[in-house]
Amino acid sequence: MTVSHSDLANAIRALSMDAVEAANSGHPGMPMGMADVATVLFTRYLKYDPAAPKWPDRDRFVLSAGHGSMLIYSLLHLTGYARPTMEDIRNFRQIGSPCAGHPENFELAGVEATTGPLGSGLATAVGMAMAERHLNATFGSDLVDHRTWVLAGDGCLMEGINHEAVGLGGHLKLGRLIVLWDDNRITIDGAVDLSSSENVLGRYDSGGWHTVSCDGHDPADIVRAIDAALADPRPSLVACRTLIGKGAPNKQGTSATHGSPLSKDEVAAARVTLGWDYPPFEIPDEIASAWIDAGKRGGAVRSDWEARLSTHSDKAEFERRAAGRLPDGFSLDAYIGELLANPQKVATRKASELTLGAINALLPETIGGSADLTGSNNTKTKDQAPFTADNYGGRYVYYGIREFGMAAAMNGMALHGGVIPYGGTFLVFSDYCRPAIRLAALQQIRSIFVMTHDSIGLGEDGPTHQPIEHVMALRVMPNLDVYRPADAVETAECWQLALERADGPSLLALTRQNLPQLRKDAKENLSAKGAYRLRAAAAARKVVLVATGSEVEIAIAVADALEVDGIGADVVSMPSWSRFDAQPAAYRNDVLPHDVLRVSIEAGTTIGWERYTGIAGLRFGIDSFGASGPADKLYHHFGLTAEIIAPQVRAALD
Ligand SMILES: Cc1ncc(C[n+]2csc(CCOP(=O)(O)OP(=O)(O)O)c2C)c(N)n1
Ligand SMILES: [Mg+2]
């Protein structure tokens, strides 16, 4: 038998419908509809090598329409990746199978990004394409010369984040980014025209993209469109007109195929329509080996690349960065030593900028940025040139007012590897970034979020700009390290921890207002413990005051007032809950003993502080929205001063 394009594509269709049927759950429509486009991409264009799935110069493929996960599982299996095995595919959507409901980057090599929240994959891919261009500018085309491909659905293009991705990608002229749009005119509720009548291609055109359309079931036409995309210097959107669920004779073209098993009868009918006369999870040898051959296309390209790397003058540095390893001996100790010698009374956002001065000089892999608040977030250091379409070698990104797009692009850079992204906005707008922060945490990647103006301490901009629930809401996110440093020394320590952590994101909550430098020594990184006794009680200890960030200064003033009355009070600074919770019980009990009154002070919601104060403890914070006014007046207004807090602590002890 000679294996045709249709045979190859039908293998994807069969695996997809059978896996969904076996799981009795999943989305057959998209993989069946995009099987032809995916076949063309994976057999003719995509640069990859299943034998070396992490090869740094591979093309990146992002399945932004993550519900169609069986498409990528089929492709990875068929092209010869070690996983998923056919057994993994049989166990699609079952606990323990790497073939999860939606693709997860840490489950399978070849899944470049965790996708499912629509639009996020596409915006993440923008960051991958940025990282590629940056590393190309740094190391040259011999080492870095690849593309980023996205498969996106109607939903990805409808989501608001799509607008940010189009704006950023077009502005930065990311010509190596190609989005293949599954233009099937169907979403869950039915036809796209129920909810949308926009000219999608026109929107991309106006964003500086190249656009082209094709018949997504005609391989020659798909080739024509992709060739046009490759030839154009702009990022491309390829509209692939398809039939959702193609091959299911009674359901294709309808939303019935989107997210439900086709049914036993319809699967049987599809076998007839497709001419696929084989049992579930069986691929005839000829078709299987044709797919394996397609997967071998990249092997020689990869070994040529390895040969170039082996003699390249930047080999060691390239490998270090690709592995995400910090330079040997990377440390901020010298900078922290200067702080101890010359204490800085600065806002922690300014302390962050000072720290970044040291970091960016030591780590060429950092790429900073801000969503149009550079001067407020203090994210740019003097040595950073802007990253622009004319200078991809720049290390500072003007993301524009695109918080979600920024955070997603940062994730794309971190996933791509070779760079460490950090980016800033106001903490209150972490809400605008939150879905991407969550994906960073889920994907176990090193994105560093710099969130300034972290409380009512920002003052006159008022309640729209004053975070209340934000720090706590971020703390509850699994695998995110949230830091709220109290002074310049802690800020540097927290930065060091964020950079050293390769398996998850960190977020720094930083003040607008100046804070005194409280730390007198830095023999060890005390922030690494999450919380530590900054000052021990002088008189017999009756109280432990635990505070974060700008409120540590207040806790010290409260302790001073109590000690005057002979009430011993420890002051505990707690820059990070997650780090503290990871300490041994003995340490935690020593820092927060249970036999004294425990009091928390933080200019945000008190909900959650019971964890450390116990129900019997006291919690000072703000459980309403903030207000407009000068910072010091606001602290008084909301009862967060030593004069107001100390008597309440005394009363609780009586
Ligand atoms: C942010 C987000 N909102 C909603 C969903 C739920 N959802 C999954 S697929 C889908 C419809 C997608 O339509 P389309 O992209 O056209 O996919 P198709 O039905 O064509 O496969 C929706 C609403 C989601 N995954 N992510
Ligand atoms: Mg659709």
Side-chain angles (χ1 to χ4, degrees):
M1 125 188 217
T2 49
V3 176
S4 67
H5 164 87
S6 294
D7 293 328
L8 296 172
N10 287 341
I12 297 173
R13 293 192 170 97
L15 281 178
S16 299
M17 69 183 182
D18 289 334
V20 171
E21 208 62 28
N24 196 24
S25 129
H27 303 74
M30 191 283 253
M32 295 178 79
M34 283 299 273
D36 293 305
V37 174
T39 298
V40 169
L41 179 64
F42 274 69
T43 60
R44 304 196 203 189
Y45 291 100
L46 194 72
K47 182 168 84 165
Y48 65 109
D49 182 0
K54 298 281 182 191
W55 165 33
D57 200 31
R58 69 193 181 278
D59 283 359
R60 304 302 196 268
F61 172 73
V62 176
L63 190 79
S64 190
H67 57 279
S69 57
M70 265 314 303
L71 180 74
I72 189 154
Y73 301 150
S74 303
L75 289 162
L76 296 180
H77 175 76
L78 291 167
T79 53
Y81 283 77
R83 303 286 289 270
T85 62
M86 193 60 94
E87 191 59 20
D88 294 331
I89 290 180
R90 282 177 185 274
N91 286 312
F92 176 52
R93 293 189 154 230
Q94 306 310 305
I95 294 171
S97 172
C99 298
H102 293 79
E104 295 176 5
N105 65 309
F106 51 87
E107 288 287 359
L108 289 169
V111 172
E112 303 284 1
T114 294
T115 53
L118 298 174
S120 283
L122 199 163
T124 300
V126 168
M128 291 180 179
M130 291 167 69
E132 190 275 340
R133 280 297 87 186
H134 179 73
L135 292 168
N136 172 274
T138 309
F139 291 102
S141 299
D142 274 356
L143 295 189
V144 184
D145 185 14
H146 54 268
R147 297 181 190 282
T148 304
W149 303 83
V150 179
L151 196 164
D154 300 300
C156 294
L157 303 198
M158 251 187 246
E159 289 287 353
I161 191 174
N162 182 248
H163 183 75
E164 300 181 28
V166 171
L168 196 57
H171 176 70
L172 292 172
K173 300 192 167 68
L174 301 173
R176 294 174 156 259
L177 175 62
I178 300 181
V179 177
L180 304 167
W181 168 28
D182 180 15
D183 179 16
N184 62 19
R185 301 183 192 176
I186 290 289
T187 67
I188 292 178
D189 278 354
V192 164
D193 64 17
L194 284 171
S195 59
S196 194
S197 44
E198 69 180 31
N199 173 356
V200 174
L201 294 184
R203 189 160 57 79
Y204 273 71
D205 279 334
S206 73
W209 287 56
H210 160 251
T211 58
V212 58
S213 304
C214 68
D215 175 345
H217 298 306
D218 175 351
D221 205 40
I222 298 166
V223 164
R224 175 195 55 79
I226 293 181
D227 283 345
L230 293 176
D232 197 283
R234 294 166 292 178
S236 288
L237 176 70
V238 182
C240 308
R241 189 74 181 89
T242 63
L243 205 54
I244 189 170
K246 170 137 173 103
N250 306 299
K251 293 191 173 178
Q252 64 184 16
T254 74
S255 61
T257 66
H258 163 89
S260 317
L262 294 178
S263 83
K264 206 159 160 265
D265 290 349
E266 184 69 0
V267 167
R271 284 195 142 67
V272 175
T273 304
L274 297 171
W276 189 265
D277 200 12
Y278 317 105
F281 307 111
E282 272 188 45
I283 310 291
D285 288 347
E286 294 87 345
I287 297 176
S289 63
W291 264 116
I292 293 290
D293 287 347
K296 289 189 172 142
R297 281 170 36 249
V301 185
R302 194 246 308 172
S303 35
D304 287 352
W305 179 88
E306 276 169 356
R308 290 198 298 278
L309 176 67
S310 67
T311 56
H312 201 283
S313 55
D314 288 333
K315 177 174 188 285
E317 177 65 2
F318 181 85
E319 288 180 330
R320 180 188 75 73
R321 288 208 217 170
R325 265 195 330 269
L326 301 181
D328 287 340
F330 167 74
S331 159
L332 295 173
D333 288 355
Y335 163 70
I336 292 175
E338 285 169 34
L339 286 179
L340 293 176
N342 286 304
Q344 299 291 313
K345 181 174 175 151
V346 292
T348 49
R349 63 179 170 136
K350 180 67 184 175
S352 172
E353 180 189 328
L354 296 172
T355 311
L356 280 168
I359 291 169
N360 288 338
L362 294 169
L363 300 182
E365 60 265 50
T366 53
I367 297 192
S370 166
D372 202 47
L373 288 168
T374 295
S376 299
N377 300 146
N378 298 61
T379 34
K380 187 171 183 305
T381 56
K382 280 194 225 57
D383 51 324
Q384 283 179 313
F387 176 99
T388 64
D390 298 325
N391 180 20
Y392 291 125
R395 290 172 59 192
Y396 192 80
V397 183
Y398 290 108
Y399 286 101
I401 306 93
R402 302 185 179 102
E403 293 84 2
F404 190 6
M406 169 180 75
M410 287 166 57
N411 290 350
M413 291 186 215
L415 285 164
H416 181 281
V419 295
I420 298 178
Y422 70 85
T425 184
F426 289 152
L427 179 61
V428 81
F429 303 134
S430 63
D431 284 342
Y432 275 48
C433 307
R434 194 172 171 99
I437 298 174
R438 186 169 196 272
L439 280 172
L442 179 58
Q443 294 182 96
Q444 305 172 7
I445 52 174
R446 182 166 40 192
S447 298
I448 303 176
F449 302 100
V450 180
M451 301 284 175
T452 69
H453 297 58
D454 70 348
S455 76
I456 54 162
L458 66 86
E460 292 84 347
D461 273 341
T464 55
H465 282 53
Q466 291 163 350
I468 295 293
E469 74 279 21
H470 298 75
V471 170
M472 199 63 80
L474 289 159
R475 284 179 182 134
V476 301
M477 196 180 282
N479 200 37
L480 172 68
D481 281 333
V482 176
Y483 295 102
R484 190 161 186 259
D487 72 354
V489 174
E490 280 193 9
T491 302
E493 289 177 338
C494 293
W495 259 113
Q496 171 112 25
L497 297 169
L499 290 164
E500 283 171 351
R501 181 167 190 227
D503 64 352
S506 301
L507 182 145
L508 289 88
L510 305 171
T511 67
R512 172 179 188 243
Q513 72 274 30
N514 287 345
L515 301 177
Q517 190 172 309
L518 302 172
R519 276 281 287 288
K520 306 286 182 256
D521 76 86
K523 285 189 281 293
E524 66 174 311
N525 185 330
L526 292 171
S527 299
K529 295 188 182 317
Y532 62 94
R533 193 175 294 120
L534 176 66
R535 204 176 80 174
R541 182 172 69 191
K542 299 265 175 33
V543 187
V544 172
L545 303 162
V546 53
T548 75
S550 41
E551 286 71 68
V552 176
E553 179 188 11
I554 297 172
I556 288 176
V558 173
D560 286 343
L562 295 172
E563 297 273 357
V564 168
D565 296 341
I567 301 169
D570 281 1
V571 175
V572 170
S573 177
M574 187 181 254
S576 168
W577 280 32
S578 51
R579 289 222 160 232
F580 182 67
D581 288 348
Q583 299 307 308
Y587 179 80
R588 285 183 278 123
N589 292 333
D590 179 63
V591 173
L592 291 179
H594 285 219
D595 56 352
V596 295
L597 179 66
R598 285 166 287 158
V599 176
S600 67
I601 310 174
E602 182 173 75
T605 184
T606 62
I607 294 174
W609 275 106
E610 302 84 351
R611 185 181 186 87
Y612 301 115
T613 65
I615 293 295
L618 298 181
R619 292 163 290 282
F620 294 92
I622 306 172
D623 292 311
S624 64
F625 289 115
S628 209
D632 55 337
K633 299 273 185 344
L634 287 170
Y635 270 88
H636 182 79
H637 178 77
F638 286 104
L640 294 176
T641 65
E643 295 70 40
I644 301 172
I645 292 172
Q648 296 178 70
V649 176
R650 249 183 246 115
L653 286 169
D654 287 345

